[in-house]
Amino acid sequence: MADNIPKPPRVRFAPSPTGSLHVGGARTALFCWLYARNRGGKFILRIEDTDRKRSQEELSSEIINEMRWLGLDWDEGPLFQSDRFEIYRQRALQLLDDGRAYRSEPDEDGATAVIMPVDHGDITFTDLVYGPITVSGSELKDIVLLKSDGSPAYNFACVVDDHEMGMTHVIRGEDHIPNTPKQILLYRALGWKPPKFAHLPLILGEDKTPLSKRHGATSLRAFRQDGFLPQALRNYLALLGWSPGGDREIMDTAELIKRFSLKKVSRKAAVLDYQKLLWMNGQYIKKSSAGELVNALQPLLAGTEWEEVPRERIETIVTLLGHRLKSLKEFAAQTGYFFDRDISYEPEAVEKYWSGEGIIELLRETRKEIALLDSFTEDDLEKSLRGLIDRLGIKAGVLIHPLRVAVTGRMDSPGIFGILLLLGKELVLERIDKALEYLHLNPPPESK
RNA sequence: GACCCCGUCGUCCAGCGGUUAGGACACGGGCCUUUCAAGCCCGCGACACGGGUUCGACCCCCGUCGGGGUCGCCA
């Protein structure tokens, strides 16, 4: 029978533009998208902007942009419910004509809402994630179809659209479970076959309460601006409430699509672990080429001093930073010393690596050694400085750490020789001079 | 309060009748190393509780406790 032949599903994501797209919504969108892609179906984007007071156009476009950024491409839409009020009205009128709905008492202005009465029988549906759920109709209040201002109420618009747009699966947050019996009643009244329903567990903050503004930056925009890669976010979010079974974790999007199944979706709310997301982002940063990273980085650099820096130079620095970035946002924070200007010294670094009287002499010798170089390559630098280290009979770190502080001002940095190279001879010598100057003004305390 | 849902390491997930209960993040220790990372190795750490069912329960049933969701002419 036709019902048993699996048809390609049609799945929609239906955000409401009353707020930014947050990670919870993004996770729902991702699961809808993964399901559609896994089954060779269609993914539809629908904007639920029936509440004119609370909906904002800017938020619609922000949501659409963030969906694009996350890489969740849709096959149809974006469709706006605000364009479809006439359709809802017609359907409501039809139910009125059929005697399946009634008009409310008029309000002060004489306006009436259209409402559908609910009878008391049980309503059962089989959720693809939660299994069978039964609710007694006696628990339900009558369902508003059209509000007295003529706009459709959520459940009604949702049902009309899901049917008219041919949705086979409704995948949404667990908070919609209580809406489902009401919607099923609407399908019945309209003589339509309901789609399959699948509800997704909630995403919680560290304090185990549902993710909200209180938890800080939870909008997708914030994650983008914090330097997360969309593919890392997709991977991490996919694992929040779903797993392919076994120990697979790092999965590219193709694998996610291939393995995704609603059967493996968890019923338990999940706490978003920012640390693990950061770690995963680092994994993806490591897998990316410098070119890809610069592409992702550039929007974050707009409006900063880096905007003027040639792409090739940024790419070189990104390469040098290599594996030590967990988010793109760290880039600018860790590389200020590449600009030709005075640097400040981290107090800790000064205290730890510029103590003891020998330090001044050591930096002088180092300067002399570098000044002598006429070929300024990473190899030459290493050879010459290691030569000095040998002659002085010291450990490499004894020279390298103070030098690092002199040229970067920091406790930590990528490999020193690469940094010297990128800084260039002139700036390196200048920085060492500045360091010596500083040390004359602020003599290191007697050490041990 | 009513209705519905959930309950494995701190966190995310495996395991679903017989396992030394597995992996990842975090945490602690070690190795490597010019620092910080990365990487590698080791460690810490959980089946909410109580009854059943069963030769045998994390896995099945019931209850308790705990947590969450919803009860709008918001979506």
Side-chain angles (χ1 to χ4, degrees), chain A residues 10-27:
Chain A
R10 292 175 58 81
V11 191
R12 87 303 196 275
F13 175 58
S16 159
T18 52
S20 297
L21 183 59
H22 54 96
V23 278
R27 201 274 310 254

mmCIF file of all heavy atoms in Angstrom, chain A residues 10-27:
data_model
loop_
_atom_site.group_PDB
_atom_site.id
_atom_site.type_symbol
_atom_site.label_atom_id
_atom_site.label_comp_id
_atom_site.label_asym_id
_atom_site.label_seq_id
_atom_site.Cartn_x
_atom_site.Cartn_y
_atom_site.Cartn_z
ATOM 1 N N ARG A 10 9.599 15.598 3.417
ATOM 2 C CA ARG A 10 9.644 17.058 3.336
ATOM 3 C C ARG A 10 9.637 17.560 4.776
ATOM 4 O O ARG A 10 8.721 17.278 5.535
ATOM 5 C CB ARG A 10 8.446 17.589 2.558
ATOM 6 C CG ARG A 10 8.509 17.211 1.061
ATOM 7 C CD ARG A 10 7.249 17.633 0.332
ATOM 8 N NE ARG A 10 6.992 19.061 0.418
ATOM 9 C CZ ARG A 10 7.578 19.995 -0.346
ATOM 10 N NH1 ARG A 10 8.441 19.627 -1.277
ATOM 11 N NH2 ARG A 10 7.298 21.275 -0.196
ATOM 12 N N VAL A 11 10.673 18.252 5.135
ATOM 13 C CA VAL A 11 10.855 18.690 6.523
ATOM 14 C C VAL A 11 11.067 20.192 6.539
ATOM 15 O O VAL A 11 11.757 20.732 5.684
ATOM 16 C CB VAL A 11 12.112 18.026 7.138
ATOM 17 C CG1 VAL A 11 12.158 18.255 8.629
ATOM 18 C CG2 VAL A 11 12.153 16.547 6.808
ATOM 19 N N ARG A 12 10.478 20.832 7.513
ATOM 20 C CA ARG A 12 10.681 22.279 7.581
ATOM 21 C C ARG A 12 11.303 22.699 8.888
ATOM 22 O O ARG A 12 11.169 22.050 9.921
ATOM 23 C CB ARG A 12 9.356 23.006 7.350
ATOM 24 C CG ARG A 12 8.475 23.252 8.567
ATOM 25 C CD ARG A 12 8.102 22.001 9.321
ATOM 26 N NE ARG A 12 7.000 22.155 10.243
ATOM 27 C CZ ARG A 12 7.087 22.596 11.492
ATOM 28 N NH1 ARG A 12 8.249 22.951 11.976
ATOM 29 N NH2 ARG A 12 6.030 22.671 12.254
ATOM 30 N N PHE A 13 11.998 23.826 8.821
ATOM 31 C CA PHE A 13 12.425 24.505 10.035
ATOM 32 C C PHE A 13 11.640 25.799 10.044
ATOM 33 O O PHE A 13 11.601 26.498 9.035
ATOM 34 C CB PHE A 13 13.922 24.757 10.018
ATOM 35 C CG PHE A 13 14.400 25.572 11.198
ATOM 36 C CD1 PHE A 13 14.176 25.120 12.495
ATOM 37 C CD2 PHE A 13 15.073 26.775 11.014
ATOM 38 C CE1 PHE A 13 14.599 25.864 13.592
ATOM 39 C CE2 PHE A 13 15.505 27.516 12.103
ATOM 40 C CZ PHE A 13 15.266 27.060 13.381
ATOM 41 N N ALA A 14 10.986 26.078 11.177
ATOM 42 C CA ALA A 14 10.060 27.203 11.198
ATOM 43 C C ALA A 14 10.313 28.140 12.369
ATOM 44 O O ALA A 14 9.579 28.146 13.349
ATOM 45 C CB ALA A 14 8.630 26.667 11.240
ATOM 46 N N PRO A 15 11.365 28.924 12.265
ATOM 47 C CA PRO A 15 11.670 29.854 13.363
ATOM 48 C C PRO A 15 10.750 31.055 13.342
ATOM 49 O O PRO A 15 10.164 31.385 12.310
ATOM 50 C CB PRO A 15 13.101 30.287 13.045
ATOM 51 C CG PRO A 15 13.170 30.237 11.552
ATOM 52 C CD PRO A 15 12.317 29.063 11.146
ATOM 53 N N SER A 16 10.652 31.657 14.494
ATOM 54 C CA SER A 16 9.856 32.863 14.611
ATOM 55 C C SER A 16 10.816 34.041 14.806
ATOM 56 O O SER A 16 11.703 33.982 15.654
ATOM 57 C CB SER A 16 8.937 32.688 15.817
ATOM 58 O OG SER A 16 8.506 33.925 16.261
ATOM 59 N N PRO A 17 10.660 35.092 14.027
ATOM 60 C CA PRO A 17 11.628 36.200 14.094
ATOM 61 C C PRO A 17 11.372 37.135 15.259
ATOM 62 O O PRO A 17 11.291 38.341 15.091
ATOM 63 C CB PRO A 17 11.430 36.897 12.752
ATOM 64 C CG PRO A 17 9.996 36.649 12.426
ATOM 65 C CD PRO A 17 9.646 35.312 12.999
ATOM 66 N N THR A 18 11.249 36.554 16.434
ATOM 67 C CA THR A 18 11.055 37.373 17.622
ATOM 68 C C THR A 18 12.321 37.392 18.453
ATOM 69 O O THR A 18 12.357 37.936 19.541
ATOM 70 C CB THR A 18 9.903 36.813 18.485
ATOM 71 O OG1 THR A 18 10.136 35.425 18.716
ATOM 72 C CG2 THR A 18 8.582 36.962 17.759
ATOM 73 N N GLY A 19 13.363 36.778 17.919
ATOM 74 C CA GLY A 19 14.654 36.765 18.598
ATOM 75 C C GLY A 19 15.674 36.230 17.623
ATOM 76 O O GLY A 19 15.315 35.770 16.530
ATOM 77 N N SER A 20 16.938 36.295 18.014
ATOM 78 C CA SER A 20 17.989 35.774 17.152
ATOM 79 C C SER A 20 17.899 34.256 17.103
ATOM 80 O O SER A 20 17.287 33.630 17.956
ATOM 81 C CB SER A 20 19.354 36.150 17.711
ATOM 82 O OG SER A 20 19.502 37.548 17.723
ATOM 83 N N LEU A 21 18.517 33.698 16.097
ATOM 84 C CA LEU A 21 18.621 32.246 16.040
ATOM 85 C C LEU A 21 19.638 31.819 17.098
ATOM 86 O O LEU A 21 20.790 32.206 17.054
ATOM 87 C CB LEU A 21 19.093 31.807 14.651
ATOM 88 C CG LEU A 21 19.174 30.301 14.411
ATOM 89 C CD1 LEU A 21 17.818 29.641 14.620
ATOM 90 C CD2 LEU A 21 19.703 30.014 13.023
ATOM 91 N N HIS A 22 19.176 31.041 18.077
ATOM 92 C CA HIS A 22 20.095 30.614 19.125
ATOM 93 C C HIS A 22 20.508 29.170 18.894
ATOM 94 O O HIS A 22 19.986 28.503 17.993
ATOM 95 C CB HIS A 22 19.452 30.789 20.503
ATOM 96 C CG HIS A 22 18.132 30.108 20.626
ATOM 97 N ND1 HIS A 22 17.989 28.858 21.168
ATOM 98 C CD2 HIS A 22 16.891 30.504 20.237
ATOM 99 C CE1 HIS A 22 16.710 28.508 21.117
ATOM 100 N NE2 HIS A 22 16.035 29.486 20.563
ATOM 101 N N VAL A 23 21.438 28.683 19.689
ATOM 102 C CA VAL A 23 21.962 27.339 19.428
ATOM 103 C C VAL A 23 20.898 26.257 19.487
ATOM 104 O O VAL A 23 20.981 25.279 18.759
ATOM 105 C CB VAL A 23 23.118 26.935 20.363
ATOM 106 C CG1 VAL A 23 24.415 27.497 19.862
ATOM 107 C CG2 VAL A 23 22.842 27.329 21.768
ATOM 108 N N GLY A 24 19.910 26.450 20.356
ATOM 109 C CA GLY A 24 18.843 25.456 20.435
ATOM 110 C C GLY A 24 18.096 25.367 19.113
ATOM 111 O O GLY A 24 17.872 24.282 18.582
ATOM 112 N N GLY A 25 17.737 26.522 18.591
ATOM 113 C CA GLY A 25 17.059 26.564 17.309
ATOM 114 C C GLY A 25 17.943 26.015 16.210
ATOM 115 O O GLY A 25 17.487 25.276 15.330
ATOM 116 N N ALA A 26 19.207 26.358 16.281
ATOM 117 C CA ALA A 26 20.156 25.900 15.261
ATOM 118 C C ALA A 26 20.263 24.378 15.297
ATOM 119 O O ALA A 26 20.353 23.725 14.258
ATOM 120 C CB ALA A 26 21.525 26.528 15.489
ATOM 121 N N ARG A 27 20.246 23.821 16.506
ATOM 122 C CA ARG A 27 20.322 22.365 16.614
ATOM 123 C C ARG A 27 19.070 21.730 15.999
ATOM 124 O O ARG A 27 19.154 20.725 15.278
ATOM 125 C CB ARG A 27 20.467 21.970 18.092
ATOM 126 C CG ARG A 27 21.044 20.592 18.327
ATOM 127 C CD ARG A 27 19.988 19.498 18.293
ATOM 128 N NE ARG A 27 18.864 19.821 19.144
ATOM 129 C CZ ARG A 27 18.620 19.255 20.312
ATOM 130 N NH1 ARG A 27 19.432 18.349 20.788
ATOM 131 N NH2 ARG A 27 17.558 19.581 21.007
#
